[in-house]
């Protein structure tokens, strides 16, 4: 039988579809970021900056104005507090004409001032500002809020879940694997605690990040400000304004704030992602070894053809999304650290992808959190693995022999070579090691310590180390 297919163009067309899976398949997991790191979130923050600058100027009684009363200030602040679809649509229509997003925001504020009967303040809208005064402040606000309100809480939830598992399994002895080979035993709790310790450290660094803005005009000199009011300390006015918004003030800039704080932040988030990636691959490996069993989810399908399978998809999904996030974060850092002379526009397009970078990272965190809640430790597998690798006690034996030689209790030469001949490349059982230890030229006390040792008890202070988290 022969089949043929005639090539033709697709005749049907879809409604507009999202190109990014963050806005499609994974939308629910990352939707909170859209409040801040979307175009609408950025524009709302721009309106906030414009409104607050106008209020700040009237509070300074600039150019004969008087401070607005509390009612008028509250009505003005509703421009961003009640920012919604009507404003989104208004700005889209206006930007289609202006071809300038910040100018469209200025026109929106002016329009709303007229509706509020505050036309007399119209010329204070965007007063002496360059677009990057508004943008640097808006980006600092939105990124800070996204990090502190959405991303960090999810990271902390992962750390908390991991900490709980570390504490729960602090005494669960397991065979370590250095270079993938059987090595000195540890406990599962201690190994998970290593990740907790690493993540806690970088989490503190991210939580302490600076979020800087500039507000100094076209080339960072306050030239227009001084031309209009030469007797005003504009640098002080600007710094008070930025700090009032909860941001750090950068007084020495070109047209743009230099973005170094962003580079530092994205490097730290990428570092956290690298640790999380390491966690995902390690948990995946423990699942592969049978150390962790995956708890079946009702109705879920592991494989389309193999009914028995439960695939570690949470950790695989996290791994992939962390890699995507890391790639974008690295690009952000590489691009934003440089601006030609007093300003070029490469940062504008680059910064529009901040939400994409954090979105993939947040999606990974969501999958890790879910995945950590869907695994169960197989103590029997861990113990069986330990019992099959008694040769890992060779380290303990040769170390005790060295101590005995030093103490004058033994005449053995080269203890390391002695144990290497016994164990390297060979499987050695409990009885083999017991016979070997019994014949060693060491004290009876040392022999007794070694004879009572098993792979499952040769874990040092691994359990105690979990307390450090």
């Amino acid at each position: 039988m022969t089949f043929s297919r005639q090539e033709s163009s697709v005749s049907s067309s879809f409604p507009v579809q999202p190109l990014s899976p963050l806005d499609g398949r994974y939308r629910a997991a990352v939707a909170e970021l859209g409040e801040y790191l979307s175009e609408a979130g950025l524009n709302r923050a721009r309106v906030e900056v414009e409104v607050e600058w106008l209020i700040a100027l009237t509070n300074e009684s600039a150019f004969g104005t008087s401070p607005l009363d509390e009612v008028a200030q509250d009505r003005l602040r509703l421009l961003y507090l009640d920012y919604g679809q009507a404003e989104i649509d208004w700005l889209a229509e206006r930007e289609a004409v202006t071809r300038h997003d910040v100018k469209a925001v200025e026109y929106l504020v002016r329009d709303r001032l007229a509706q509020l009967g505050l036309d007399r303040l119209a010329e204070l809208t965007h007063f002496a500002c360059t677009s990057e005064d508004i943008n640097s402040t808006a980006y600092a606000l939105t990124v800070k809020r996204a990090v502190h309100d959405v991303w960090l809480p999810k990271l902390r939830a992962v750390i908390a879940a991991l900490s709980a598992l570390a504490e729960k399994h602090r005494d669960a002895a397991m065979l370590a694997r250095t270079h993938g080979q059987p090595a000195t035993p540890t406990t599962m709790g201690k190994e998970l605690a290593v990740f907790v310790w690493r993540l806690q450290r970088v989490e503190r660094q991210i939580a302490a990040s600076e979020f800087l803005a500039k507000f100094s005009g076209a080339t960072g000199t306050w030239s227009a400000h001084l031309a209009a009011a030469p007797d005003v300390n504009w640098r002080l006015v600007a710094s008070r304004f930025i700090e009032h918004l909860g941001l750090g003030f950068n007084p020495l800039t070109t047209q743009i704030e230099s973005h170094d704080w962003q580079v530092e932040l994205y490097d730290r988030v990428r570092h956290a992602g690298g640790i999380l990636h390491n966690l995902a691959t390690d948990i995946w490996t423990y699942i592969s070894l049978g150390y962790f069993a995956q708890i079946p989810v009702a109705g879920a399908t592991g494989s389309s053809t193999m009914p028995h399978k439960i695939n570690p998809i949470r950790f695989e999904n996290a791994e992939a999304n962390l890699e995507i996030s890391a790639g974008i974060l690295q690009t952000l850092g590489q691009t934003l650290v440089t601006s030609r002379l007093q300003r070029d526009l490469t940062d504008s397009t680059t910064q529009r992808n901040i939400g994409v970078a954090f979105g993939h990272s947040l999606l990974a965190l969501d999958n890790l959190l879910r995945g950590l809640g869907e695994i169960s430790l197989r103590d029997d597998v861990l113990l069986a693995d330990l019992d099959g690798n008694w040769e890992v006690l060779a380290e303990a034996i040769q170390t005790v022999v060295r101590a005995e030689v030093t103490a004058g209790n033994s005449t053995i030469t080269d203890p390391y070579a002695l144990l290497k001949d016994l164990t390297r490349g060979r499987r050695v059982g409990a009885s083999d090691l017991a016979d070997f230890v019994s014949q060693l030229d060491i004290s009876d006390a040392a022999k007794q310590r070694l004879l009572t040792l098993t792979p499952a008890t040769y874990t040092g202070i691994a359990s105690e180390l979990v307390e450090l988290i």
Side-chain angles (χ1 to χ4, degrees):
M1 182 178 295
T2 301
F3 294 92
S4 63
R5 177 178 178 274
Q6 183 176 355
E7 292 293 334
S8 63
S9 60
V10 177
S11 58
S12 64
S13 61
F14 299 132
V16 175
Q17 296 296 307
L19 287 177
S20 168
L22 296 178
D23 292 320
R25 183 181 185 88
Y26 303 124
R27 184 177 183 82
V30 301
E32 283 184 276
L33 284 177
E35 288 293 313
Y36 307 110
L37 300 181
S38 63
E39 188 76 9
L42 177 62
N43 278 332
R44 178 172 58 190
R46 285 166 165 162
V47 172
E48 178 180 355
V49 176
E50 295 279 11
V51 166
E52 291 297 333
W53 178 233
L54 192 152
I55 291 173
L57 289 171
T58 59
N59 285 341
E60 295 284 341
S61 298
F63 309 107
T65 60
S66 300
L68 297 172
D69 61 35
E70 190 172 328
V71 172
Q73 290 188 27
D74 288 345
R75 291 172 66 200
L76 263 178
R77 289 186 170 117
L78 286 177
L79 297 187
Y80 63 85
L81 292 175
D82 282 352
Y83 187 94
Q85 193 60 51
E87 287 71 30
I88 292 171
D89 293 342
W90 195 101
L91 282 175
E93 292 177 9
R94 184 54 60 97
E95 188 182 344
V97 176
T98 64
R99 301 294 181 181
H100 196 291
D101 47 6
V102 177
K103 199 65 180 176
V105 167
E106 178 189 341
Y107 288 146
L108 172 67
V109 175
R110 284 173 175 266
D111 178 80
R112 297 306 192 259
L113 283 173
Q115 293 180 22
L116 292 172
L118 295 172
D119 307 63
R120 67 187 186 280
L121 301 178
E123 292 308 323
L124 288 184
T125 306
H126 202 71
F127 179 80
C129 292
T130 184
S131 296
E132 280 306 295
D133 291 333
I134 308 303
N135 278 338
S136 77
T137 312
Y139 271 116
L141 287 171
T142 54
V143 174
K144 180 180 181 180
R145 290 163 180 170
V147 169
H148 284 279
D149 296 350
V150 182
W151 190 85
L152 272 175
K154 186 69 78 171
L155 175 64
R156 288 167 181 154
V158 170
I159 294 172
L162 202 56
S163 297
L165 285 174
E167 179 61 35
K168 181 178 181 180
H169 303 310
R170 61 184 295 172
D171 297 319
M174 76 171 194
L175 187 68
R177 282 181 165 79
T178 59
H179 308 278
Q181 307 304 307
T184 301
T186 180
T187 71
M188 179 60 80
K190 178 262 178 181
E191 296 310 307
L192 296 179
V194 169
F195 284 106
V196 174
W197 176 272
R198 296 174 70 190
L199 289 168
Q200 286 174 333
R201 179 174 173 272
V202 74
E203 181 274 336
R204 288 192 296 269
Q205 293 174 348
I206 293 169
S209 294
E210 292 183 290
F211 298 84
L212 303 180
K214 57 92 67 176
F215 223 77
S216 48
T219 57
T221 61
W222 284 281
S223 298
H225 305 68
L226 287 170
D231 296 330
V232 174
N233 186 340
W234 286 106
R235 193 176 79 176
L236 179 61
V237 170
S239 65
R240 281 202 305 246
F241 170 63
I242 294 299
E243 288 163 6
H244 169 73
L245 295 175
L247 303 173
F249 179 62
N250 186 344
L252 195 56
T253 71
T254 60
Q255 185 174 98
I256 68 165
E257 198 287 321
S258 304
H259 305 322
D260 292 322
W261 70 264
Q262 291 193 58
V263 175
E264 294 160 1
L265 173 66
Y266 304 149
D267 279 348
R268 290 185 183 120
V269 173
R270 185 163 58 92
H271 182 186
I275 298 170
L276 293 163
H277 187 280
N278 193 179
L279 171 67
T281 56
D282 272 15
I283 298 292
W284 186 97
T285 304
Y286 289 140
I287 291 170
S288 178
L289 291 169
Y291 287 5
F292 281 116
Q294 295 182 95
I295 302 170
V297 177
T301 297
S303 166
S304 62
T305 187
M306 293 174 280
H308 69 284
K309 291 183 69 181
I310 304 177
N311 295 331
I313 56 172
R314 295 295 181 194
F315 302 101
E316 292 169 342
N317 186 296
E319 183 181 341
N321 278 286
L322 288 166
E323 290 170 2
I324 296 170
S325 175
I328 299 172
L329 289 167
Q330 184 173 21
T331 298
L332 286 169
Q334 289 174 337
T335 301
L336 294 177
V337 77
T338 299
S339 182
R340 293 179 188 86
L341 303 181
Q342 283 66 58
R343 205 267 193 273
D344 68 47
L345 208 61
T346 52
D347 63 334
S348 178
T349 294
T350 304
Q351 288 181 107
R352 292 185 189 277
N353 290 280
I354 296 170
V356 181
F358 276 97
H360 284 286
S361 180
L362 186 69
L363 180 57
L365 287 168
D366 185 71
N367 274 282
L368 283 171
L369 186 60
R370 291 169 182 264
L372 292 172
E374 296 171 358
I375 54 176
S376 176
L377 192 67
R378 294 283 306 276
D379 295 276
D380 57 330
V381 176
L382 268 64
L383 291 173
D385 204 12
L386 287 163
D387 195 49
N389 288 276
W390 279 76
E391 61 271 16
V392 296
L393 296 182
E395 179 197 37
I397 297 170
Q398 65 102 2
T399 303
V400 169
V401 172
R402 285 183 169 187
E404 289 288 284
V405 171
T406 303
N409 296 327
S410 175
T411 59
I412 296 173
T413 58
D414 201 351
Y416 180 87
L418 183 66
L419 271 297
K420 185 174 76 170
D421 290 341
L422 174 69
T423 61
R424 194 173 194 188
R426 297 173 54 191
R427 281 300 174 94
V428 180
S431 59
D432 299 319
L433 282 181
D435 290 343
F436 180 80
V437 169
S438 297
Q439 297 172 32
L440 283 173
D441 175 26
I442 57 176
S443 67
D444 289 341
K447 284 183 182 180
Q448 191 56 38
R449 288 201 310 276
L450 290 175
L451 288 171
T452 58
L453 202 59
T454 70
T457 60
Y458 184 45
T459 58
I461 62 168
S463 179
E464 296 174 34
L465 290 171
V466 175
E467 297 173 10
L468 294 176
I469 62 173

